[in-house]
Amino acid sequence: MHDVRIKAHHLDALRIIAACAVVILHYADYVKSRAIGHFVYEHTQHFNLFVDLFFVISGFVIASQYLGKVDGIRSISRFLWRRLARIYPLHLATLAFYLVVAAAIHGNLANTDNAVRYPPSDIPAQLLLLHALIGERLTFNFPSWSLSAEMFCYTIFPLLALVAARRRNLLLPLITILIALNSLFALATGTGPWASWINHGGVFRAFPAFILGVACSLYRDRISQWRIPPATLTIALAGFTLLGWSVSETVALGCIYIVAVIAIHCDCAERHTLMTRLNIARGSPFTYSCYMLHIPVATVVITLGGRFISGGPDRELALIPVAIAVLAAASIVSYRYFEAPARNMLNDAFDRWETNRTISGMTPKREPR
């Protein structure tokens, strides 16, 4: 059994920091025509790679909790259902929001200069969480591409767990092979750096990061013994945040992997850093809500709200603080009154189904004559 609980204060802190960074990246796009907005936009494009931080953290946390526990059809089914119960309700809710928007646009009840964002042909992929593999483009609530990639990672996790149980030393070479294959494919097809793959290929972008997290869980005893000054994490994160725009996307991706591994070291070694002193991890429960709701909130507050207020070209700048405040409130409400209850309801439903299935499959013992 591989279930050693770790107080993941640094990983939890990185999760909420990463979500906030993605919000900054996407909200800057609304005001890039203004001088300050353009400056922020130009110097935060690498914030897209904070999503890869999610993948590493996910691999580590999932492996820490489930290695040794997904070794049969029943346990794998339970694992996948619980992962789906965690991510699908809010994905479905935000998709439903944009389906209403799309219906209004196609019914000439609303207008937009980006109608291609709502193609009906992409709906099946969105519903089945396949859009990180076969999605047409960034559509509907477009940050959800990473949920699709995550779900593919969850699907291969039982296989990774099998490999880890028998030949754990194969995981590190596997990461190298996947990175090499991604790089060769990107070079051969001219698709650009694989670190920028989203809809077409987002799954393959996620695999190396997720497997890196799994490998870190396997080798966490060694990682905890590294001699790394606690301040290294703060310096590495600050360096990536402030200077990541100045290097190639591939180099920046390597930097985000390093940040993730250093954070894992700090948690495994129970180090105290600036993150723990500031207790940043207290916001981690709202990470997923923040990530999934920031674009719908921007649609309502910045795009729609901007049509009903005056203020000229600077009105979007004035509305961004409003959007951030609304997002903070919406994230808390969503987590407490929608996500957690929906997850619990779905998990309870699965447990009842599994119990009933077990009972119905039992054969009564015959009494001896």
Side-chain angles (χ1 to χ4, degrees), residues 226-271:
W226 291 351
R227 296 182 179 275
I228 301 178
T232 305
L233 177 59
T234 303
I235 294 171
L237 179 62
F240 172 81
T241 302
L242 298 175
L243 302 174
W245 60 272
S246 64
V247 298
S248 71
E249 199 162 21
T250 302
V251 172
L253 179 63
C255 292
I256 207 68
Y257 285 175
I258 291 172
V259 168
V261 173
I262 296 174
I264 289 170
H265 160 75
C266 289
D267 279 335
C268 291
E270 298 183 350
R271 296 293 185 90

Side-chain angles (χ1 to χ4, degrees), residues 314-328:
D314 289 329
R315 62 179 179 270
E316 285 85 3
L317 277 174
L319 284 172
I320 282 184
V322 178
I324 292 173
V326 171
L327 175 60

Side-chain angles (χ1 to χ4, degrees), residues 25-363:
L25 167 68
H26 291 151
Y27 281 14
D29 188 56
Y30 286 88
V31 292
K32 62 184 179 182
S33 62
R34 314 305 298 162
I36 186 172
H38 181 74
F39 177 84
V40 174
Y41 177 81
E42 287 294 318
H43 292 83
T44 57
Q45 288 305 292
H46 62 294
F47 282 14
N48 171 58
L49 298 175
F50 274 106
V51 177
D52 298 88
L53 189 61
F54 288 138
F55 297 142
V56 180
I57 294 172
S58 178
F60 180 83
V61 172
I62 292 297
S64 298
Q65 294 180 358
Y66 288 100
L67 277 179
K69 295 182 178 180
V70 285
D71 52 2
I73 297 298
R74 179 171 295 184
S75 59
I76 292 173
S77 299
R78 170 182 283 268
F79 164 73
L80 292 176
W81 181 266
R82 272 163 164 65
R83 294 297 90 209
L84 196 63
R86 174 69 181 92
I87 67 175
Y88 198 73
L90 191 55
H91 167 62
L92 189 61
T94 56
L95 176 60
F97 169 79
Y98 278 111
L99 289 177
V100 172
V101 172
I105 292 171
H106 292 301
N108 295 320
L109 299 176
N111 59 77
T112 179
D113 56 0
N114 191 22
V116 295
R117 181 178 163 187
Y118 310 102
S121 58
D122 208 39
I123 294 174
Q126 291 273 341
L127 287 171
L128 296 174
L129 287 175
L130 297 175
H131 49 301
L133 184 65
I134 59 173
E136 293 187 10
R137 61 186 74 86
L138 288 177
T139 60
F140 300 101
N141 189 28
F142 57 83
S144 69
W145 74 268
S146 65
L147 306 189
S148 172
E150 284 268 9
M151 201 63 211
F152 274 93
C153 290
Y154 299 150
T155 303
I156 68 163
F157 176 72
L159 180 60
L160 295 175
L162 179 63
V163 173
R166 297 184 179 182
R167 299 287 297 275
R168 69 165 61 188
N169 291 335
L170 291 178
L171 285 183
L172 292 177
L174 178 59
I175 297 169
T176 304
I177 291 170
L178 290 174
I179 290 175
L181 289 175
N182 284 351
S183 302
L184 288 173
F185 184 86
L187 183 63
T189 59
T191 58
W194 62 270
S196 63
W197 292 351
I198 298 179
N199 279 41
H200 291 293
V203 169
F204 304 104
R205 166 183 169 181
F207 281 161
F210 184 83
I211 298 173
L212 175 61
V214 174
C216 286
S217 177
L218 286 170
Y219 292 103
R220 59 191 175 193
D221 289 339
R222 295 184 187 180
I223 292 174
S224 67
Q225 297 172 6
W226 291 351
R227 296 182 179 275
I228 301 178
T232 305
L233 177 59
T234 303
I235 294 171
L237 179 62
F240 172 81
T241 302
L242 298 175
L243 302 174
W245 60 272
S246 64
V247 298
S248 71
E249 199 162 21
T250 302
V251 172
L253 179 63
C255 292
I256 207 68
Y257 285 175
I258 291 172
V259 168
V261 173
I262 296 174
I264 289 170
H265 160 75
C266 289
D267 279 335
C268 291
E270 298 183 350
R271 296 293 185 90
H272 288 287
T273 68
L274 182 62
M275 288 185 188
T276 56
R277 287 192 287 272
L278 295 177
N279 196 19
I280 297 174
R282 67 183 180 274
S284 66
F286 313 113
T287 297
Y288 183 56
S289 305
C290 177
Y291 180 76
M292 287 295 290
L293 293 176
H294 74 280
I295 294 299
V297 166
T299 298
V300 173
V301 175
I302 302 176
T303 301
L304 186 61
R307 297 180 181 182
F308 293 96
I309 66 170
S310 58
D314 289 329
R315 62 179 179 270
E316 285 85 3
L317 277 174
L319 284 172
I320 282 184
V322 178
I324 292 173
V326 171
L327 175 60
S331 298
I332 296 172
V333 171
S334 173
Y335 175 76
R336 291 179 176 173
Y337 301 107
F338 176 69
E339 293 172 60
R343 180 173 70 250
N344 293 335
M345 181 187 69
L346 290 171
N347 287 337
D348 289 344
F350 183 88
D351 291 342
R352 287 195 299 270
W353 172 83
E354 191 175 49
T355 300
N356 293 335
R357 184 167 173 265
T358 301
I359 294 174
S360 64
M362 289 181 178
T363 303

